[in-house]
Amino acid sequence: NKEGIMKYNMTELLDQLVEHEGLELMPYEDSLGISTIGIGRNLVDRGISDLELTHMGKDMSSVYEWGITKENAYYLAENDIKIVEKEVCEKHPCVIELDEVRQRIIIDMAFNMGVPRLGKFKKMWKAIDDKDFPSAKIEMLDSRWAKQVGNRAVRLSNAMETGEWV
């Protein structure tokens, strides 16, 4: 378990993800046509676990019919972040050494595209390993992901280079 190793503030990360992913309390289809709710929770691949439904006092039919609360959305996103953190730190232990801002960038990217796809950014990972953040920025922008997410990629790559969140 990597809890306590990550340096960022969970509330700040959640606010950042709301800004990037949006916050939808009713199920909707994302840009790829995948049923989604809350802060980018994929209802097809991840769904909502029985434990999560119990915590929220809901079943899936009520989620589809009535949606979820903002608190529910943050609860689901926090669970997603914990899964992403664990996967990222196992595959890329260098993340543990990064400062708070760069950890948030990596988690944001992994949250958005998934850890397997993020793992394909081989030159970016090498640059991060080498603490060559200007090159990491270039590699982030030289991707299909950057074209898909536009300003989000610009903001994240600039922060990767400088280590400062703007």
Side-chain angles (χ1 to χ4, degrees), residues 23-28 37-38 63 66-71 73:
L23 172 63
E24 296 289 337
L25 302 181
M26 290 297 293
Y28 68 97
I37 199 165
V63 167
W66 305 105
I68 60 175
T69 65
K70 182 179 174 185
E71 291 74 25

Side-chain angles (χ1 to χ4, degrees), residues 7-18:
K7 300 172 182 94
Y8 57 78
N9 176 295
M10 180 63 82
T11 305
E12 288 175 7
L13 177 63
L14 285 164
D15 290 343
Q16 173 183 326
L17 290 171
V18 166

Side-chain angles (χ1 to χ4, degrees), residues 53-88:
L53 288 168
T54 302
H55 176 88
M56 297 188 304
K58 297 190 171 291
D59 59 32
M60 280 313 290
S61 63
S62 71
V63 167
Y64 277 100
E65 193 167 347
W66 305 105
I68 60 175
T69 65
K70 182 179 174 185
E71 291 74 25
N72 294 160
Y74 274 73
Y75 164 73
L76 293 174
E78 206 165 317
N79 291 347
D80 290 341
I81 289 165
K82 287 175 185 161
I83 291 166
V84 165
E85 277 179 4
K86 184 174 182 295
E87 290 176 0
V88 164

Side-chain angles (χ1 to χ4, degrees), residues 131-146:
K131 308 264 187 284
D132 177 1
F133 299 113
S135 294
K137 170 187 177 168
I138 291 165
E139 296 306 329
M140 288 167 70
L141 292 174
D142 183 23
S143 66
R144 198 174 85 219
W145 166 79

Side-chain angles (χ1 to χ4, degrees), residues 20-162:
H20 291 157
E21 295 280 336
L23 172 63
E24 296 289 337
L25 302 181
M26 290 297 293
Y28 68 97
E29 286 194 357
D30 74 3
S31 60
L32 302 173
I34 296 165
S35 187
T36 306
I37 199 165
I39 306 168
R41 170 63 74 103
N42 179 323
L43 291 171
V44 178
D45 295 337
R46 179 144 300 154
I48 301 176
S49 73
D50 290 342
L51 189 71
E52 289 171 326
L53 288 168
T54 302
H55 176 88
M56 297 188 304
K58 297 190 171 291
D59 59 32
M60 280 313 290
S61 63
S62 71
V63 167
Y64 277 100
E65 193 167 347
W66 305 105
I68 60 175
T69 65
K70 182 179 174 185
E71 291 74 25
N72 294 160
Y74 274 73
Y75 164 73
L76 293 174
E78 206 165 317
N79 291 347
D80 290 341
I81 289 165
K82 287 175 185 161
I83 291 166
V84 165
E85 277 179 4
K86 184 174 182 295
E87 290 176 0
V88 164
C89 290
E90 283 171 3
K91 293 224 174 6
H92 307 281
C94 63
V95 172
I96 296 163
E97 307 302 319
L98 294 175
D99 58 70
E100 170 204 353
V101 170
R102 291 182 175 109
Q103 284 183 344
R104 272 174 48 191
I105 294 161
I106 295 297
I107 298 302
D108 187 306
M109 291 176 74
F111 191 95
N112 179 241
M113 72 178 87
V115 176
R117 190 167 156 210
L118 183 59
K120 294 179 179 169
F121 282 62
K122 300 219 181 307
K123 291 178 181 172
M124 178 197 78
W125 284 113
K126 179 170 184 342
I128 289 170
D129 276 334
D130 295 343
K131 308 264 187 284
D132 177 1
F133 299 113
S135 294
K137 170 187 177 168
I138 291 165
E139 296 306 329
M140 288 167 70
L141 292 174
D142 183 23
S143 66
R144 198 174 85 219
W145 166 79
K147 289 173 188 67
Q148 289 171 338
V149 300
N151 288 339
R152 181 181 190 170
V154 172
R155 185 177 192 199
L156 293 175
S157 64
N158 285 338
M160 176 64 78
E161 181 179 34
T162 64

